[in-house]
Amino acid sequence: MPDKEIKVPNIGEFKDVEVIEVLVSNGQSVSINDPLITIESDKSSVEIPASFEGKIKSVNIKVGDKVSEGDIIIILENIEEVKKDILEQPKIEKEEEKDQIKKETILNNEPKQNFIEKNISGVSAASPKARKFARELGVNINEIYGSQRQGRVIEKDVKNFISSNINKSTEIKEAQLKKIKSEFSHSDFGEVEVKDMPRVKKLASTYLVNSWTTIPHVTNHDEADITEMDEFRSSLTDMYTGERKKITPLAFIIKALVLSLKKFPSFNSSIDDIENGKITIKKYFHVGIAVDTPHGLMVPKIRNADNKNISYISSELKTVSDQCRNLKIDKKEFFGGSMTITSLGGIGGSFFTPIINYPEVAILGVGKAQKKQIFINGKFESRTMLPLSLSYDHRIIDGAEAARFNNDIKENLGKNFAYKLAL
Ligand code: CAO
């Protein structure tokens, strides 16, 4: 029986990718999924894990080598040895081994992921030095977004991450200590099933908890009268086919939000350096959109929304939400936003309390527009009303400013929307 070879798996269209780290050495035992090497293209870096377990007979590559799919990374000890071991083991252990072999087959038959998918699923690009440093300090490097090109993490980012988390971790530890422990487990009351949380949800939970526990949130609710805008939207047809154009209210809301951000720059800011009393005002208008996907919530950006018209924004909305749902979006697209819109308008409901997408300072929640009887100029009229829920960081935005901001959005979506949104 020959030795077992571990090869470079499918890495998408990438070829001759540089090995930046070799994480194992001859004679070392590895388990399935243990990282073996790190490779890096100009798009991202990923660790290649072991697809079998065993003892390393030889490591076939070194730092600086270029590898492509199918290249042999390491050779594991002769499989005869493993077989001999199995024969010598008691029956009960053989069953375990069978499970292991079954696991291996499943692993090898699993659809292969490509580079971008791994990148979006949360693997940070990092220099080998930064990786080593993070590993030594017990920091998960994938939780860090780096300061270098395409979010690449360097040693300094690891240091910054640690210092900014020291206070947080003390608070979290205190909170954990205070957690109420139930005397009973769920299964004491009937059948239950424990499942793994999707990876995107796990990653998002760190950000959500950070936002919820560190930002003093307030939410202002309001309703925008979008009657004229909605009639216009529903009347849009394709010039050539005459078919109805499918542009959702969200494209108009993005444009309206950009106008309000221009008027109220504090909503387009971040206060990551609050200890030194510094506010970063962004001069760009990258609007985040919360996208519901089977993997969890993702928030890609519509970049430079101020320079795009409604049709363009509408088709970009479709493109980025499809990319998120198919896990074909670069991790960097989840960063560098001005403010986020979270729209439940296509699903239902009116008002809610959205959580700010840190390090932003405000988020606009949009509910489902409904026809309502509104008292205008002494009589009731049927108008289409859009529920708005604006959550903001009270350290930087006051309630009065938030109410004015909502008024401005209402104005931008109101009767004179065409003039306001330059249609
Ligand atoms: N009021 C009334 N109808 C609305 C509406 C609103 N505010 N917003 C959308 N609609 C309508 C659309 O016009 C469309 O109708 P037609 O099928 O007749 O054209 C339908 O609802 C579906 O719209 P959509 O949801 O597919 O598209 P969208 O552009 O409004 O939203 C996206 C795109 C990506 C935001 C959406 O698909 C999505 O993922 N929404 C969920 C976001 C979410 O989960 N937020 C919560 C985060 S907090 O946990």
Side-chain angles (χ1 to χ4, degrees):
M1 227 358 146
D3 294 327
K4 260 208 161 101
E5 295 172 342
I6 298 189
K7 296 178 179 174
V8 175
N10 179 352
I11 47 175
E13 80 247 46
F14 297 93
K15 285 198 172 66
D16 294 325
V17 189
E18 193 180 347
V19 176
I20 59 161
E21 242 184 330
V22 176
L23 305 159
V24 289
S25 52
N26 288 353
Q28 189 179 329
S29 292
V30 288
S31 305
I32 290 176
N33 283 338
D34 278 356
L36 302 176
I37 60 167
T38 309
I39 55 174
E40 185 174 70
S41 75
D42 54 354
K43 286 224 161 118
S44 59
S45 73
V46 285
E47 285 176 346
I48 296 191
S51 39
F52 308 105
E53 69 173 8
K55 200 165 163 196
I56 296 177
K57 190 173 179 185
S58 69
V59 179
N60 282 28
I61 33 103
K62 57 184 184 319
V63 172
D65 282 355
K66 299 271 170 48
V67 293
S68 304
E69 181 182 356
D71 288 349
I72 298 168
I73 305 169
I74 62 167
I75 296 178
L76 292 179
E77 203 111 278
N78 194 319
I79 197 141
E80 280 302 328
E81 296 297 315
V82 181
K83 258 175 122 187
K84 223 166 66 192
D85 280 357
I86 294 170
L87 287 170
E88 281 162 11
Q89 304 221 349
K91 196 168 185 292
I92 189 150
E93 287 188 19
K94 267 202 223 162
E95 285 303 315
E96 277 173 21
E97 196 65 39
K98 253 200 261 167
D99 279 346
Q100 186 56 53
I101 290 164
K102 225 196 287 171
K103 217 157 128 198
E104 278 184 15
T105 322
I106 293 165
L107 216 103
N108 290 333
N109 290 337
E110 263 174 14
K112 289 168 182 164
Q113 288 180 306
N114 71 22
F115 238 35
I116 306 281
E117 282 173 346
K118 286 205 176 228
N119 186 289
I120 129 102
S121 67
V123 179
S124 292
S127 70
K129 218 169 152 197
R131 276 183 192 282
K132 188 163 176 280
F133 187 53
R135 228 190 339 265
E136 281 168 4
L137 294 171
V139 173
N140 177 0
I141 203 150
N142 298 326
E143 285 180 16
I144 308 174
Y145 189 72
S147 57
Q148 303 299 294
R149 197 170 61 90
Q150 295 183 325
R152 188 178 158 85
V153 181
I154 56 170
E155 214 177 327
K156 193 181 99 211
D157 299 318
V158 181
K159 282 182 191 154
N160 288 344
F161 180 84
I162 293 168
S163 60
S164 73
N165 274 279
I166 285 172
N167 292 341
K168 239 185 283 161
S169 67
T170 332
E171 282 163 21
I172 289 167
K173 266 189 205 134
E174 277 170 12
Q176 276 168 347
L177 284 175
K178 282 185 209 148
K179 246 192 199 170
I180 297 166
K181 275 219 167 153
S182 173
E183 287 176 53
F184 303 98
S185 84
H186 302 294
S187 56
D188 292 339
F189 303 95
E191 195 186 330
V192 294
E193 185 191 356
V194 178
K195 286 166 80 175
D196 282 333
M197 241 172 116
R199 189 167 165 70
V200 173
K201 285 198 184 210
K202 264 199 272 181
L203 286 171
S205 71
T206 316
Y207 287 90
L208 286 168
V209 170
N210 173 55
S211 183
W212 190 245
T213 52
T214 60
I215 302 177
H217 281 70
V218 181
T219 308
N220 276 23
H221 300 292
D222 211 333
E223 279 183 305
D225 183 341
I226 58 162
T227 313
E228 284 77 14
M229 186 279 271
D230 209 44
E231 278 164 6
F232 171 80
R233 185 185 72 81
S234 315
S235 71
L236 289 172
T237 50
D238 189 285
M239 228 164 70
Y240 300 104
T241 61
E243 275 176 23
R244 206 196 126 196
K245 262 193 175 177
K246 225 181 140 158
I247 295 184
T248 63
L250 190 53
F252 292 80
I253 299 167
I254 292 171
K255 269 311 246 194
L257 181 79
V258 168
L259 279 192
S260 300
L261 286 176
K262 283 187 175 173
K263 212 157 154 187
F264 296 84
S266 54
F267 284 76
N268 192 4
S269 73
S270 282
I271 45 170
D272 20 28
D273 195 9
I274 193 151
E275 292 81 9
N276 296 319
K278 297 263 191 279
I279 299 165
T280 307
I281 305 281
K282 297 156 201 171
K283 305 287 180 187
Y284 47 77
F285 299 91
H286 304 330
V287 178
I289 301 297
V291 178
D292 176 38
T293 82
H295 324 282
L297 193 71
M298 297 187 196
V299 190
K301 314 294 169 219
I302 303 289
R303 303 264 177 218
N304 303 308
D306 51 327
N307 295 330
K308 293 174 180 165
N309 65 27
I310 301 254
S311 292
Y312 196 91
I313 290 178
S314 174
S315 68
E316 202 171 317
L317 260 176
K318 191 170 169 354
T319 308
V320 289
S321 43
D322 285 349
Q323 283 173 341
C324 288
R325 285 169 184 144
N326 298 320
L327 294 180
K328 294 279 184 229
I329 190 159
D330 196 278
K331 181 179 172 181
K332 195 180 175 194
E333 289 310 311
F334 301 132
F335 295 85
S338 296
M339 196 179 142
T340 296
I341 300 180
T342 171
S343 171
L344 293 172
I347 303 167
S350 54
F351 302 104
F352 55 110
T353 52
I355 299 181
I356 296 164
N357 189 17
Y358 178 87
E360 294 164 19
V361 296
I363 181 165
L364 182 68
V366 176
K368 190 176 179 68
Q370 278 186 324
K371 286 226 181 289
K372 285 188 176 178
Q373 288 298 303
I374 304 293
F375 200 66
I376 305 171
N377 296 331
K379 59 176 174 37
F380 279 104
E381 281 184 37
S382 176
R383 308 290 294 172
T384 306
M385 305 302 290
L386 179 76
L388 301 174
S389 302
L390 175 72
S391 293
Y392 52 92
D393 185 333
H394 208 341
R395 289 172 300 178
I396 190 88
I397 295 159
D398 293 330
E401 207 183 352
R404 285 188 203 107
F405 188 82
N406 269 344
N407 282 346
D408 199 61
I409 292 185
K410 282 158 57 180
E411 180 81 23
N412 296 337
L413 292 169
K415 257 192 185 127
N416 296 325
F417 77 95
Y419 151 72
K420 293 269 182 188
L421 306 182
L423 291 169

